[in-house]
Amino acid sequence: MFAEENGLKGDPRLQAISQAVRVVPNFPKQGIMFQDITTLLLDHKAFKDTVDIFVDRYRDMHISVVAGVEARGFLFGPSIALGIGAKFVPLRKPRKLPGEVISEKYSLEYGNDCLELHVGAVQPGERAIVIDDLVATGGTLSAAIRLLERSGAEVVECACVIGVPDVKGHCRLIGKPLYVLVEPRQVDKCSRCEVDSSFG
Amino acid sequence: MQSSVGVCSSSSSNWLFRFSAAAAPLLPSSLTFPISKSSSSSLITLSTPSLISSPLRSTASASAADSSHLTEMASNDAQDPRLPRISSAIRVIPDFPKPGIMFQDITTLLLDTKAFKDTIDLFVERYRDQNISVVAGVEARGFIFGPPIALAIGAKFVPMRKPNKLPGEVISEEYSLEYGTDKMEMHVGAVQAGDRALVIDDLIATGGTLCAAIKLLERVGAQVVECACVIELPELKGREKLTGKPLFVLVKGA
């Protein structure tokens, strides 16, 4: 569900967050309009508002685990975890985590990838949220959910800054509620780009 | 980047038993990590710079002077009371990623909400009045500590990434690995001339990564005020590779 439909209708923070994301056409390949959140991180107010919106949502939901997907989930997850008093758990690409791990494969457009979670990081019965910068197909989030559930946690919701409007489809795919702040933009009306031409 | 230091500590694969056998098995969700100074701990803590009166220097200073200053602090018994818990929360994994390397695993620190918060607070307290406009964090573990610090001190966060991850126009800096080289990239336009910057990573080993980050920032005219890491491996002398920039760390791997 979008933040706007869920209590934040007309919230001016959402428009500023949307405009702080830069669209980079044809990255990593032709036809993809890449939603670049690095410009959001340069806008202190918009970045802080992003974290605050998630913290306000989850603070009273008794969440004890915030799981962030490598690497852009690491940019948002720890601040949210600190804000709600939860642990932060990184979900990583293979062979990055040094201790004993559990692994979950997931499909890419071409081929597979894999996410890992440290054994012992999450306990049965813990209430968890999964954070990433963007949800596209939902494949990564699905793998994240499976890892947490294999550890016995209850995944309460997945939260992303950006998501396509096919929200019902996503919920079916990942089987969990999904909370998204803004839609992807097609053209570059990035507020930072208007200010700084070197950022074209 | 890690390298071989120190004495092999207690069993690694089961993190519940990271500490000496005297420690009872921990409830994993418990915050009561033992504050252990036993020989199994390979980390010693520094007293924090908040105890010294001298402010951060805004110009590059000789690293020799800085490190002797910090050594004095290390022998000073007055230590920030938050440091032992932070030190104890870091798990050491022997022989990762290869035999002989004692890997300092900060993921267990992230599971201790008080210790993680204290870690961030220690950095924020140091930098909040230093007019820092940029926190640059090195992929990927620098992404965990950098953004909370940036948010708290009112700075931008700039990710320093491996090649081909950043989508826009980038500048690159090559740096040496034990075998071969790697490259670090930063977005053009993210940092402006005159920005006062910190570089953040979880750990400094040889200093190669931090040195590359410093160079990228200086190439666009930023002033690197300090490098900050949770952990230093002093035997690897990374501190000397920082082109004279000061280094601030919370704990040292002995």
Side-chain angles (χ1 to χ4, degrees):
Chain A
M1 73 206 81
F2 281 94
E4 249 201 336
E5 299 151 11
N6 203 46
L8 292 185
K9 189 171 171 59
D11 191 316
R13 295 176 298 176
L14 292 177
Q15 190 180 24
I17 290 166
S18 176
Q19 287 177 352
V21 176
R22 173 171 66 156
V23 180
V24 182
N26 304 315
F27 183 90
K29 56 184 202 200
Q30 285 295 116
I32 305 228
M33 302 295 280
F34 190 90
Q35 309 290 312
D36 177 19
I37 50 87
T38 67
T39 43
L40 172 62
L41 309 177
L42 298 176
D43 180 336
H44 178 264
K45 181 177 186 332
F47 185 22
K48 184 171 187 309
D49 287 342
T50 302
V51 172
D52 285 349
I53 290 170
F54 288 124
V55 168
D56 288 342
R57 178 174 180 79
Y58 296 116
R59 163 207 321 277
D60 296 325
M61 290 174 65
H62 303 109
I63 305 294
S64 58
V65 172
V66 174
V69 180
E70 166 167 16
R72 289 186 289 266
F74 291 6
L75 297 167
F76 299 96
S79 299
I80 297 167
L82 288 163
I84 67 174
K87 312 189 286 198
F88 179 73
V89 172
L91 302 177
R92 298 211 67 176
K93 297 284 162 75
R95 294 173 298 280
K96 302 291 187 74
L97 292 171
E100 191 188 355
V101 299
I102 55 172
S103 298
E104 187 74 33
K105 274 208 194 104
Y106 62 102
S107 296
L108 299 173
E109 190 179 6
Y110 303 109
N112 294 316
D113 208 337
C114 193
L115 269 187
E116 296 186 338
L117 166 66
H118 264 148
V119 169
V122 175
Q123 304 309 310
E126 293 211 76
R127 287 167 57 81
I129 57 174
V130 184
I131 306 285
D132 207 351
D133 65 324
L134 178 146
V135 52
T137 63
T140 315
L141 288 179
S142 297
I145 292 164
R146 286 197 295 275
L147 280 172
L148 292 163
E149 291 187 331
R150 282 168 58 188
S151 300
E154 177 198 347
V155 178
V156 173
E157 194 160 87
C158 295
C160 300
V161 180
I162 305 162
V164 294
D166 180 25
V167 173
K168 286 213 188 79
H170 280 118
C171 288
R172 260 198 314 273
L173 175 70
I174 66 180
K176 295 289 174 188
L178 175 63
Y179 185 74
V180 167
L181 299 191
V182 300
E183 290 181 30
R185 285 204 331 274
Q186 293 306 308
V187 292
D188 202 350
K189 285 214 172 60
C190 169
S191 50
R192 266 197 69 82
C193 306
E194 287 159 17
V195 171
D196 185 347
S197 59
S198 66
F199 226 136
Chain B
M1 287 184 278
Q2 308 271 341
S3 187
S4 165
V5 286
V7 174
C8 182
S9 67
S10 54
S11 153
S12 63
S13 58
N14 185 342
W15 72 279
L16 288 174
F17 296 94
R18 174 260 182 272
F19 304 102
S20 64
L26 299 171
L27 291 176
S29 59
S30 162
L31 299 181
T32 56
F33 282 83
I35 297 175
S36 166
K37 292 250 174 77
S38 71
S39 57
S40 66
S41 170
S42 65
L43 298 175
I44 52 177
T45 55
L46 296 173
S47 44
T48 61
S50 56
L51 296 175
I52 31 165
S53 53
S54 67
L56 291 180
R57 297 175 207 165
S58 58
T59 54
S61 50
S63 59
D66 278 341
S67 49
S68 65
H69 184 54
L70 285 165
T71 304
E72 282 168 23
M73 288 162 45
S75 63
N76 178 352
D77 273 334
Q79 188 187 86
D80 189 288
R82 295 170 284 187
L83 288 173
R85 182 175 178 143
I86 291 168
S87 174
S88 296
I90 297 165
R91 172 169 69 155
V92 180
I93 309 259
D95 302 322
F96 183 90
K98 55 184 203 198
I101 299 196
M102 303 293 285
F103 191 92
Q104 307 284 333
D105 178 19
I106 51 88
T107 66
T108 44
L109 171 62
L110 309 177
L111 298 177
D112 180 338
T113 54
K114 177 177 176 7
F116 183 29
K117 181 181 185 305
D118 288 345
T119 301
I120 300 300
D121 286 349
L122 283 163
F123 292 120
V124 169
E125 288 163 18
R126 181 175 179 80
Y127 297 118
R128 77 164 62 162
D129 296 326
Q130 300 295 322
N131 295 309
I132 304 295
S133 53
V134 172
V135 173
V138 179
E139 167 167 17
R141 290 184 288 264
F143 289 7
I144 295 173
F145 297 95
I149 296 167
L151 285 169
I153 68 175
K156 312 187 275 199
F157 179 77
V158 173
M160 313 295 264
R161 296 211 69 174
K162 295 279 160 76
N164 309 310
K165 302 288 185 78
L166 293 171
E169 190 189 352
V170 298
I171 56 171
S172 300
E173 186 74 32
E174 219 173 57
Y175 61 100
S176 296
L177 300 173
E178 191 180 5
Y179 301 111
T181 61
D182 206 343
K183 248 200 251 179
M184 181 182 295
E185 297 186 337
M186 178 175 81
H187 266 147
V188 168
V191 175
Q192 273 70 56
D195 267 328
R196 283 170 54 80
L198 299 178
V199 184
I200 305 281
D201 206 352
D202 66 323
L203 178 144
I204 175 173
T206 62
T209 313
L210 288 179
C211 181
I214 292 167
K215 289 188 174 154
L216 282 169
L217 291 161
E218 292 190 324
R219 276 166 61 184
V220 298
Q223 176 193 10
V224 177
V225 174
E226 194 158 86
C227 296
C229 302
V230 180
I231 306 159
E232 176 186 12
L233 302 181
E235 285 186 10
L236 299 177
K237 302 196 201 306
R239 189 179 282 269
E240 297 167 14
K241 292 264 187 41
L242 303 181
T243 66
K245 303 294 177 289
L247 171 69
F248 172 65
V249 303
L250 301 185
V251 300
K252 285 183 173 179

